[in-house]
Amino acid sequence: MEVVNKYVSLKHHVDGYPSESDFELATTPLQPAPGSGEVIVKNLFLSVDPYQLNRMKRYSSSHTAITAASKIEPGQRIDACGVGKVVASGRAELEEGDVVAGLLGWEQYTVVRPGTVLMKVDAKDLPISYYASVLGPSGLTAFAGFYDVCKPKKGEKVFISAASGSVGSLVGQYAKLSGCYVVGCAGSKQKVDLLKGKLGFDDAFNYKEEADLKSALRRYFPEGIDIYFDNVGAAMLEAAVANMNSFGRVAVCGAISEYTNAGERAAPDLIDIIYKRITLRGLLSVDYLHLHEQFSAATSDHLRRGRMIALEDVSVGIESVPTAFVGLFRGDNVGKKLVRVGELEG
Amino acid sequence: MEVVNKYVSLKHHVDGYPSESDFELATTPLQPAPGSGEVIVKNLFLSVDPYQLNRMKRYSSSHTAITAASKIEPGQRIDACGVGKVVASGRAELEEGDVVAGLLGWEQYTVVRPGTVLMKVDAKDLPISYYASVLGPSGLTAFAGFYDVCKPKKGEKVFISAASGSVGSLVGQYAKLSGCYVVGCAGSKQKVDLLKGKLGFDDAFNYKEEADLKSALRRYFPEGIDIYFDNVGAAMLEAAVANMNSFGRVAVCGAISEYTNAGERAAPDLIDIIYKRITLRGLLSVDYLHLHEQFSAATSDHLRRGRMIALEDVSVGIESVPTAFVGLFRGDNVGKKLVRVGELEG
């Protein structure tokens, strides 16, 4: 019996806001038996992340920076992190039925080539979706970005943009666990309530209701900001820098408001950066694989003890990937956006 | 006999480009005998630096950052680093005739209050002007900014703006001594020739002759920039970030092209900063006093052995301070701008 693999691909490069019509669903027959060293994975949860937009552009300086951010050509399958079940294994250390996390793709099945890391996951410990969200690259980004780049001290004042998003929601929780004062911003009342309620932020605000971001931050941080975890760039970064304290640190994790608009830029005041000796640092989770074990152990423990919450926003079916992705840029998602494309059983 | 002290003061706050007419020369009688713990210093060499412009503004976020950058009010004397000779001492460790370096002022004599650091200088070792230039705060800024912020490795590619200026000319020499490939930019042919000739830069260019800074830097750094020592900000910072390699470091030391124009801003591409994991860090020499001894010993040694050159641009007479200062923003100075306001002998 021939197995058919449905996958999402680009119709054309995307510059600017993406829309559902930029994508198409295609099918390809799947080889039932893996080649030498290959593993066939039935995908269960796929990660949908804003950075993929940079890969879809005709040109972006990100294309040559790291392999994981290489340019996506129209018609190609699109690799993406996820969790799946091994259905056929050409690797000695994996067998049929194993649940694995790693670089899969926006498709129902992924043929994983030799050399690509697949991490075996204990499906009985924590929900397997966690390995594509809080325990996946978004989690490592939050952990490494907060602890390694921001170097928090107890009592410091932390500001997080896109705070209900995949990374922001975790940074806020790590910051609270570290004894920091934490304020987040997000784009709806529902998200703001969630930050203050379920996630335990000290405060939160809807940036869409603030005419002047600089004075909004002055209101929320009368003693200034020590750490800014930036997921959006542009005007919010400028406002944060203007409100930072001496020796403030900015983790530049994402710039979602710039991804869709090449003309949108942050122009922070260099006089602030110099006189307040502010550090801005870009980060990618790929540089922190050496922290993975520590991150994973600490975070799993927090989750098991209920000290952290995994905020997931799950759509169902491979067909929903384009809408899930496009929705990231409309602020539709609350927490980590995932698409469930298969069931563990069966 | 009453001694009269001539000093330079502001007529009014300065926003935008400064001009000679913003300043006036005033006189005040000098107390011939120092009060308790005071030291009267006859000033010899005064430092003239771009950052003073920020102090002269009606408002700048720099005013509250550190004491040394506090706002200057019209009519006030203006403190500034320099070298002078003790003419009367209320401190046990200093006596008449000692040459000292520290925070003096744009004036002929400074009454140094108790608690203000005065460093005794060996007037027979190196020219005393050096303690207001290469061995003064500009030198420490260059040393700490290059070694601590930029963390150079042998063979790395270093770009320096305002490279013939007080700090840039030293950073370039430290970088060459560290085995780096060094390119500087400056604003005239004379300065470019000096960088390539006397200072031993690998290459240099006149930024005024480049229509497109981004492609100019691509030409000078076909393998990319690892370290950018920024003294100017604005478009040059954007162009440098666009040409940086992964894990590049930017020392944000000065932003002279922004000091005179609040609307002038650098808006580097955050996609570059994220994907290339670039670090930008603002710095001030006051944070590096713990490195002073190391800096001073190493740099004095380089100077004595002829491995480094002190580039000084000296005007004479307290009356020339306004022109010396205003000239900084016209690019008049070559190297560290000093004003000689007194003679060691007599």
Side-chain angles (χ1 to χ4, degrees), chain A residues 16-311:
Chain A
Y17 275 92
S19 77
E20 280 87 341
S21 63
D22 297 329
F23 299 90
E24 61 189 347
L25 216 65
T27 55
T28 177
L30 187 75
Q31 298 293 343
S36 166
E38 287 177 351
V39 178
I40 298 183
V41 175
K42 177 191 168 192
N43 296 331
L44 304 175
F45 287 95
L46 297 176
S47 180
V48 176
D49 301 280
Y51 81 91
Q52 296 275 29
L53 184 62
N54 296 321
R55 303 183 61 196
M56 297 173 188
K57 293 175 183 174
R58 218 171 306 271
Y59 170 78
S60 167
S61 60
S62 59
H63 292 163
T64 50
I66 55 163
T67 318
S70 59
K71 189 176 178 182
I72 298 168
E73 297 295 347
Q76 277 185 349
R77 59 179 289 281
I78 297 172
D79 49 26
C81 287
V83 177
K85 189 171 79 164
V86 173
V87 294
S89 172
R91 294 190 193 177
E93 72 278 18
L94 290 176
E95 60 185 40
E96 216 184 297
D98 281 349
V99 177
V100 290
L103 194 65
L104 303 171
W106 284 355
E107 56 194 347
Q108 292 176 307
Y109 293 88
T110 298
V111 178
V112 180
R113 312 270 166 220
T116 302
V117 175
L118 284 175
M119 191 185 67
K120 227 162 121 172
V121 155
D122 179 356
K124 294 193 189 72
D125 180 15
L126 290 162
I128 61 167
S129 60
Y130 284 16
Y131 296 92
S133 66
V134 57
L135 295 172
S138 311
L140 181 58
T141 302
F143 184 88
F146 185 61
Y147 290 108
D148 188 76
V149 176
C150 300
K151 300 196 193 320
K153 289 187 276 291
K154 200 179 159 180
E156 284 195 317
K157 314 287 182 286
V158 177
F159 174 53
I160 302 160
S161 55
S164 71
S166 58
V167 176
S169 61
L170 300 175
V171 172
Q173 296 183 77
Y174 287 130
K176 283 308 300 170
L177 288 166
S178 302
C180 296
Y181 178 83
V182 183
V183 178
C185 73
S188 73
K189 186 182 180 306
Q190 180 211 1
K191 292 177 180 177
V192 167
D193 291 345
L194 182 86
L195 294 174
K196 293 201 278 190
K198 209 168 164 186
L199 294 188
F201 281 49
D202 294 289
D203 215 334
F205 65 93
N206 181 349
Y207 70 91
K208 291 178 181 166
E209 288 175 356
E210 300 291 345
D212 179 349
L213 296 175
K214 217 186 268 192
S215 44
L217 288 177
R218 203 175 305 130
R219 230 163 52 234
Y220 285 97
F221 291 95
E223 296 169 51
I225 299 167
D226 298 303
I227 290 172
Y228 172 43
F229 199 99
D230 188 15
N231 294 304
V232 305
M236 194 63 88
L237 176 56
E238 295 178 17
V241 165
N243 280 282
M244 287 201 99
N245 291 329
S246 288
F247 304 105
R249 290 134 273 154
V250 179
V252 188
C253 175
I256 193 168
S257 62
E258 303 189 18
Y259 293 170
T260 47
N261 183 351
E264 188 83 9
R265 287 280 184 92
D269 190 342
L270 290 186
I271 292 184
D272 281 317
I273 291 178
I274 295 168
Y275 282 94
K276 299 196 282 190
R277 293 84 113 199
I278 292 170
T279 303
L280 284 92
R281 183 132 72 94
L283 76 129
L284 292 177
S285 65
V286 292
D287 298 328
Y288 293 99
L289 298 180
H290 60 285
L291 293 184
H292 191 274
E293 208 175 305
Q294 185 194 342
F295 145 71
S296 184
T299 307
S300 300
D301 192 49
H302 291 322
L303 290 163
R304 283 190 210 102
R305 291 169 188 263
R307 291 190 302 229
M308 275 183 81
I309 287 167
L311 212 58

Side-chain angles (χ1 to χ4, degrees), chain B:
Chain B
M1 186 192 76
E2 192 180 70
V3 179
V4 165
N5 184 22
K6 278 195 204 166
Y7 66 99
V8 174
S9 74
L10 273 185
K11 281 197 229 166
H12 41 248
H13 290 297
V14 182
D15 292 290
Y17 275 92
S19 79
E20 279 87 342
S21 63
D22 297 328
F23 299 90
E24 60 189 348
L25 217 65
T27 55
T28 178
L30 187 75
Q31 297 294 345
S36 167
E38 288 178 351
V39 179
I40 298 183
V41 175
K42 177 190 169 192
N43 296 331
L44 304 175
F45 287 95
L46 296 176
S47 181
V48 176
D49 301 280
Y51 82 90
Q52 298 274 29
L53 184 62
N54 297 321
R55 303 183 62 196
M56 296 173 189
K57 293 176 183 174
R58 216 170 308 269
Y59 170 80
S60 168
S61 61
S62 60
H63 293 164
T64 51
I66 54 163
T67 319
S70 60
K71 189 176 178 182
I72 298 168
E73 297 296 345
Q76 279 185 346
R77 59 178 288 281
I78 297 172
D79 49 23
C81 288
V83 177
K85 188 171 80 166
V86 173
V87 293
S89 172
R91 293 190 194 178
E93 73 276 19
L94 289 176
E95 59 185 39
E96 217 186 295
D98 281 350
V99 178
V100 291
L103 193 64
L104 303 171
W106 283 356
E107 56 195 346
Q108 292 177 309
Y109 293 89
T110 297
V111 179
V112 180
R113 313 269 167 222
T116 302
V117 175
L118 284 176
M119 191 185 69
K120 227 162 120 172
V121 155
D122 179 357
K124 295 194 188 74
D125 180 15
L126 291 163
I128 60 167
S129 60
Y130 284 16
Y131 296 92
S133 66
V134 58
L135 295 172
S138 311
L140 182 57
T141 301
F143 185 87
F146 185 61
Y147 289 108
D148 189 76
V149 176
C150 301
K151 300 196 190 321
K153 290 189 277 290
K154 197 177 160 182
E156 285 195 316
K157 314 287 183 286
V158 177
F159 175 52
I160 302 161
S161 55
S164 71
S166 58
V167 176
S169 61
L170 300 176
V171 172
Q173 295 182 77
Y174 288 130
K176 283 309 300 171
L177 288 167
S178 301
C180 296
Y181 179 83
V182 183
V183 178
C185 73
S188 74
K189 186 182 182 305
Q190 178 211 3
K191 292 177 180 178
V192 167
D193 290 346
L194 181 87
L195 293 174
K196 293 200 279 189
K198 209 167 164 188
L199 294 187
F201 281 49
D202 294 289
D203 214 334
F205 65 93
N206 181 348
Y207 70 90
K208 292 179 183 168
E209 288 175 356
E210 299 292 345
D212 178 349
L213 295 175
K214 216 186 271 193
S215 46
L217 287 178
R218 202 174 307 128
R219 229 163 54 235
Y220 285 97
F221 292 95
E223 294 168 51
I225 299 168
D226 298 302
I227 290 171
Y228 173 43
F229 200 98
D230 187 15
N231 294 303
V232 305
M236 193 64 88
L237 175 55
E238 295 177 19
V241 165
N243 280 283
M244 288 201 98
N245 291 329
S246 287
F247 304 104
R249 289 134 275 156
V250 179
V252 188
C253 176
I256 194 167
S257 61
E258 304 189 17
Y259 293 169
T260 47
N261 184 350
E264 188 84 9
R265 288 280 184 92
D269 191 341
L270 291 186
I271 292 183
D272 281 317
I273 291 177
I274 296 168
Y275 282 94
K276 298 195 284 189
R277 293 85 110 198
I278 292 171
T279 302
L280 284 93
R281 182 132 72 95
L283 77 130
L284 293 177
S285 65
V286 292
D287 298 328
Y288 293 98
L289 300 180
H290 60 285
L291 293 184
H292 190 274
E293 207 174 306
Q294 184 194 344
F295 145 71
S296 184
T299 308
S300 300
D301 192 51
H302 290 323
L303 290 163
R304 283 187 211 103
R305 291 168 189 265
R307 290 189 302 226
M308 275 182 82
I309 287 166
L311 213 57
E312 296 179 335
D313 185 328
V314 183
S315 301
V316 179
I318 188 70
E319 299 78 5
S320 66
V321 168
T323 301
F325 178 68
V326 169
L328 294 173
F329 301 93
R330 291 189 298 240
D332 289 351
N333 60 306
V334 179
K336 174 68 187 175
K337 187 69 205 176
L338 297 174
V339 176
R340 197 171 75 210
V341 293
E343 299 295 328
L344 182 56
E345 306 308 327

